[in-house]
Amino acid sequence: MSNFFYSLIIYPLTQIIELVFCFCNKLFDNEGFSLIGVSLAVSMLTLPLYIVAEAWQQVERDKQALMKNQIDRIKAVFKGNEQYMILTTYYRECHYHPIMGLRSAFGLLIQIPFFTAAYSCLSTMEALKGQSFFFIRDMGSPDATFMIGNFAVNVLPIAMTLINVVASAIYLKGLGFRDKIQTYGLALLFLALLYNSPSGLVVYWTMNNVFSLVKNVFYKLKNPVKVLYWLGCACVTALILFLIFGHPLYAKGAALIAGVFSIIYFIPLIVRLCNYILDTILVSLKENIRQRTVLFMLSSFALSILVGFYVSTNLISSSPMEFSGIDGYGSPMFFVWNTFFQAVGLCFIWPVLVYFLFKERIQTLLSVGFFVLLLASILDIFIFPENYGTLSKLLTFTDVANVDSPLIRSALNLLVIGVAFALAIALLKFRIEKIYTYVSALLLFVLFAISAINISTISRGYKEYLSVAQSESNDSIKPVFNFSRHGKNVLLIFLDRSQNGYVESIFEKCPQLDAQMSGFTLYRNTVSYNSHTLMASPACYGGYEYTPESINKNADKTLIEKQNESILMLPRIFTEQYGYDATVADPQWANYSWIPDLSIFNDYPEISSTNLERKYLGLWYQEHKDTARITVTSDTLKRNILWYGLFRASPLFLRPAFYNDGKYWSTNTKNGDFDDYLAGYSTLEYLDRLSTFDNEKNSFITMSNECTHQSIILQAPEYRPSSKPEIVDTGSKYDSNKAFHSLAGALSRLGEFFEVLKENGCYDNTRIIIYADHGCTGLPDGFPECEKFKAVEPGKYHPLLMVKDFNSVGALKTDDSFMTNADVPFLAVKDMEVHAVNPFTGNPVKENKENGALICTSRMFMPHHISSKNIFTANSNEWWRVKDDIHNPDNWIQE
């Protein structure tokens, strides 16, 4: 029940606080000034509420003053039930009910949710911990300015209370004893509540009291509204000058912010325009309380459904299994309902509370405003969805550096919204506003119906997840890999998204790897065929017959068939042509399923298959109790799905502001996905327990691992997971590089496993290939900065490729021969007694790179529906021919 109340009432306020804090911190780069900005923003936003509260309180005071003499006489003459009956009769004659006395406490009631939101948000905010501000050493802790014996004296709460008392004294001048007791008692209550609170929270509330003092002074001025307007204009002017000359933001962002805040200059004109519209076009709606209230209710609730229910179900239904079982939450519907309640609080509950505080003129504007906002959001989501590429589980776009739209596209978006707005106003002019209500109701029904269909898809996906997902609570490990001591072993290790350019630096930071990974050669000049697993992995598994170019030439088969063929090719070659045992673990996108569908091996009983990803996560936590469980994924989704909905519902020119480079204005600095890293990392750490060494036959083992796909800081120099890792400063640009850490952790665990292979006599007789489907973003070592590489981002196409052949020894060698990751199958069967033949095509497995590699840079989505297609779709400008030295930009030619 408390979570339900929090989502509906408190959560929207915490998001406003967090948004303003991040915005101010981006401007001033100072957490203390950011708190002052938050306090000022909240004070300004709540000012209309306090004005209404003050009006209600004054009504109550006037009513009490009017009835006071008669009530005193009744209480002096009558007692008990007789007094109660006479007072009740008197109240009825005065059209007064005792419950109306709550109006005098309305100012206090307003403060409760805002204080609760500030307390829950600021008292635990990571961004404040360890940050100083003037004499405050740590805003994440009580200020403890000085000590009296063992007692810490916190000066800030005392100063806050003194300011509160001064503000109250000005406010209470001329008011009664009852008001004074309530106000001063509240000041003492906040002193008790906040005395041992983090000083950042106290700074915020102290500034609230300062602004309250200023507000009370304003009430005493002549024409306070006019003074407030000119003061606001002065502040906005100062902000614009700071944006121009202080350069805290890029020009585009500064211009957007300046444009938004410049609206304050036109407030008098906007007020006149609103009054004109109210007195002409909106007259009938203004005079019909039922019509405008129904319209407001339907529009605001439909907006809640759109932002919190439709968008979340549409997002999760695109890949239900990917959102299942996250941090123990089971069904992804948890995230749907959580987001829906948040949206109801933001778009319905708080607007309704505000709506009923005001009278007919403001209510009319709110009704029309929310209807227009609903129409604009519908247009933004359905007419202007835009293609931003792949969306990660943490709701960031992995294919684009920003979500900026072309100016023409943004202008078209605004034009369409403007036409819709003009049409809506035209309908009002003809006084057929009932159509508004019908449209709102229809939109509400349609959105709910589509969301219900999405829920059905999510439910089916979750059932599929339960049927194929491995349990995370396995308390024992059964070996799945069996190596031969006396024969040969071929071991292929697929490390998703591993960057080739990091390897040499990792070996420098982990010198033990030279001995552990004896005999390896790093092919530094290796290129991949795409920057995403779905298009890049077939070539890794099946070689040159499964590059994007070759797949598109073979249009007789579906993509899903060719994906499965590539995965099956080497296991079939080693079992059918070489007589090896074959074991396959976690084949990427088998049967185009995010959790690999092992049914593709049903026709090949001689091939053992298994899924290990996530299987040992629970066991890893049991055995590493010193490592705190971090629920980054679920915490991010619980917060950011709503922000993603707002992002989708906003006009194109505002989307970069909502997206905020994938941070969605979160103050949480933990960007790595701890659990998803451990899902694969735990498998690597348990490889010794997953392996036996008594196979009488030769053994072929291929496994993929996705821990390197997650970016996370590990504890150097062993690169192990830690809840609070400390970055070791060695002066390297990779010291705090999360992708570097992820790969260093994977290679370190593999190095330890290779020591186990040596101890069991299974290292020298094993050919090992460690490879990746693609690299990651940026310019790793060896790539010069140039305009072409800024556009292409070659780091995405620079995958890891390391090979240790049979009986190879010595420290890490490097080879600059031109290679592609489609060479992996050829390297796996190289120098075997029999020339390998692809069992599906009858063609020999060989190299095919005389003309270099034709890379497809298409950022293709990964939904399951593409299994019905036969070719990869790409634009004509998304093909690049690369050959020879891939670090030379002249060798990248667009075809």
Side-chain angles (χ1 to χ4, degrees), residues 648-724:
R648 283 294 184 186
S650 61
L652 297 184
F653 81 98
L654 280 180
R655 286 185 185 177
F658 278 99
Y659 185 64
N660 188 30
D661 297 326
K663 301 181 183 69
Y664 296 101
W665 302 102
S666 173
T667 58
N668 188 352
T669 57
K670 299 171 183 173
N671 296 322
D673 191 341
F674 202 74
D675 270 5
D676 271 6
Y677 182 79
L678 287 176
Y681 175 91
S682 56
T683 301
L684 298 182
E685 189 160 298
Y686 292 140
L687 278 176
D688 57 336
R689 293 155 67 176
L690 286 165
S691 304
T692 55
F693 310 94
D694 55 4
N695 198 339
E696 296 297 325
K697 298 174 65 176
N698 296 333
S699 181
F700 171 75
I701 297 170
T702 178
M703 60 175 289
S704 72
N705 194 281
E706 290 198 45
C707 74
T708 45
H709 200 283
Q710 315 306 323
S711 296
I712 186 172
I713 293 293
L714 303 173
Q715 186 57 64
E718 293 185 334
Y719 292 96
R720 294 187 184 278
S722 171
S723 59
K724 296 180 179 179

Side-chain angles (χ1 to χ4, degrees), residues 28 58 160 199 253 306 338 511 584 745 834:
F28 306 117
Q58 191 59 47
M160 173 197 73
S199 53
L306 175 67
N338 181 75
V584 180
V834 178

